[in-house]
Amino acid sequence: MARSCCIVNCHSRSHDSHGKPKAKGIGFYRIPSWKKNYSSDVSEVTKRQRMAWIAAIGRPNITFQNTPPHMLVCSKHFHKGKPAYKMMESDPDWAPSINLGRTELKVGRASSKQPHFSGPETDNPGEIHAGNPASGEQPMEYNSGLDHDYCCAPDVTVDQNMKLKKEMGTLRKEIQELKMQSAFGLQRFAGSDDDIQFYTGFASYRHFMMFWGLIEPSVHRVIHRSWSEATERRSEAVNASHMMQSLQPIDELFLFQMYLAAGLEERDLANRFGIHPFTVSCIISSWTTYLYTLLGSVCIWIDAEDIKAHLPDDFKDFPDTQVIVTCTELKCQIPSSTLLQREMFSKSHCTMKGLIGMAPHGAVTFVSSLYQGSISDKELFRRSGLVDHLTEDMAIMVDEGFLMSDCVDWKVYCPAFLSQNSQMLAHSGFKRQKIARLSAHVERVSRRVKENKLFDSVIPLSIAGSIKEIFTVACLLINYQNKPLVRARAKKHT
């Protein structure tokens, strides 16, 4: 097999193209190998010699880890025609040093890992100056403490890579911060409690995150509508990437709260969050069902013993009060059916009615379903299911306008000027005023529900199928969004 020299611009070959010997008297030598099983001293010397050879050859495809076996160096590149013994580091022939095929040999920085050959420049581009004793010049010296800058040292490459990785990490962080600033999501308003309250109804960002911490473990149960149902409901072609879930779960909750509390329409929400309107519809539907199921599974009714243990001082004259009850109405779009119009008509508009119960200390403890607006307060109370939670030793308090004292067997505290009950008329004027003032707390709960802009306007018939669930969720969220009404008021007056 013909052997050739791997030094640049060296044409030494052992055989010509016809296979006949060509280079007589020229030897070819392999790059020193290095193995870790040598003794420590010999291994380090061999390692330095190997690196010196690789640096002298100067080919990019020859590295410390990769030296092809056919890469040989001929005897023309050694002063004595052959390499020196590996332990003779001071010998110039310890590595190839002449006729290296480069015009100059640059002096690099100091390093303990790479060899370096230093010497004056020569007029012969194919030869390194070996010194001229007659002119007083010293022969070229080998210095094992320096490296060549034309050889890519591994430590330099690692440093550069680490620097680039650090810069890339910094740029990624800056890009992420810019995206967060430009994206419409919860983190954009994390520093403004006023904005959080406006968009979500929660008193502060802290309140919102506390609620999120309670529901996060079960968020994976949120199930979005299948693609087949999406295709059936929508005939126009929609990009699949837009229809897929593209928001984080916490931002989906933020979107749902904006729909409920701020009353924003689906198209508006789609433009703000950069998703398709149908995706917004799926998110709202999914979170309505999820929160209705999750919050509805929590028992909010409080036992009489716990009610008495947390009874505010304002109720000391009514210690047996278990719940304060009010009726609330939501305006809805007028249906085309005459029968539905007659059933839902109340006063001057089509409405839906619901019953809300509040504990004396301010927590919502009962929420009924929604019924047609034509139903009376008494019938609403009977259908609501609140009767099943009451016992004979409990009393209920109603706000003004809720006439039901003559249809129940329990004690009813009602403002005297709204009732003809003789028991109520026997109370002192001060006590009658106090009942009216305390029963007004539940009206404030009703106002909190209607502070959700979705209920503040006319409910469209398009969401009539889910309005009952949305109403229940809105009532139950009151327990998480704000502080108790009565306690806050009592503290204010003290």
Side-chain angles (χ1 to χ4, degrees), residues 77-344:
H77 307 288
F78 300 94
H79 291 275
K80 298 178 182 179
K82 63 180 180 179
Y85 179 61
K86 59 177 172 289
M87 299 302 292
M88 300 175 63
E89 293 189 50
S90 59
D91 195 309
D93 287 335
W94 193 62
S97 57
I98 58 177
N99 301 322
L100 297 182
R102 290 183 292 275
T103 57
E104 60 179 353
L105 195 63
K106 298 180 181 179
V107 179
R109 61 180 179 82
S111 172
S112 60
K113 296 184 179 180
Q114 295 290 341
H116 177 70
F117 299 95
S118 61
E121 296 183 355
T122 177
D123 295 335
N124 187 355
E127 177 179 346
I128 295 180
H129 186 46
N132 186 357
S135 61
E137 296 180 1
Q138 298 297 324
M140 179 190 67
E141 297 181 357
Y142 171 75
N143 188 344
S144 61
L146 299 176
D147 67 343
H148 298 287
D149 63 349
Y150 54 78
C151 176
C152 296
D155 59 333
V156 175
T157 304
V158 171
D159 292 342
Q160 291 176 348
N161 288 340
M162 293 299 294
K163 183 178 179 180
L164 291 174
K165 288 181 179 179
K166 187 176 180 180
E167 292 178 356
M168 289 174 63
T170 303
L171 291 175
R172 286 195 186 101
K173 186 176 180 180
E174 292 178 356
I175 292 173
Q176 188 66 23
E177 291 177 353
L178 291 174
K179 286 183 177 179
M180 289 177 60
Q181 293 176 2
S182 59
F184 195 94
L186 177 64
Q187 291 301 320
R188 180 176 179 179
F189 305 98
S192 175
D193 289 343
D194 292 338
D195 288 335
I196 292 295
Q197 187 170 19
F198 174 79
Y199 285 115
T200 69
F202 284 84
S204 65
Y205 177 76
R206 175 174 168 270
H207 282 77
F208 186 91
M209 294 307 297
M210 289 177 64
F211 177 72
W212 170 251
L214 294 175
I215 68 172
E216 184 180 10
S218 60
V219 165
H220 64 279
R221 298 177 186 175
V222 177
I223 302 176
H224 295 271
R225 291 195 176 108
S226 63
W227 287 104
S228 58
E229 183 181 352
T231 305
E232 292 175 0
R233 289 189 55 195
R234 195 172 188 84
S235 58
E236 60 179 314
V238 180
N239 192 327
S241 63
H242 289 161
M243 294 178 63
M244 293 177 61
Q245 180 181 358
S246 57
L247 297 180
Q248 295 296 324
I250 192 170
D251 283 328
E252 288 191 356
L253 174 61
F254 183 57
L255 183 149
F256 173 79
Q257 288 299 130
M258 290 177 62
Y259 171 76
L260 177 62
L264 300 182
E265 295 183 0
E266 294 181 1
R267 183 168 294 277
D268 188 3
L269 292 170
N271 292 332
R272 291 174 185 263
F273 285 90
I275 56 179
H276 196 274
F278 186 71
T279 306
V280 175
S281 178
C282 290
I283 291 174
I284 293 172
S285 177
S286 300
W287 278 89
T288 298
T289 304
Y290 168 67
L291 292 177
Y292 177 77
T293 304
L294 180 66
L295 300 181
S297 65
V298 178
C299 180
I300 60 175
W301 182 258
I302 304 176
D303 295 334
E305 293 77 10
D306 294 332
I307 291 290
K308 293 178 181 179
H310 299 87
L311 194 70
D313 294 338
D314 287 355
F315 284 84
K316 62 182 179 180
D317 295 330
F318 314 98
D320 54 351
T321 302
Q322 175 68 22
V323 62
I324 309 173
V325 180
T326 189
C327 174
T328 186
E329 288 186 279
L330 303 178
K331 292 182 179 181
C332 62
Q333 185 179 354
I334 300 175
S336 58
S337 172
T338 307
L339 178 60
L340 289 178
Q341 291 181 18
R342 186 163 53 250
E343 291 181 353
M344 300 181 67

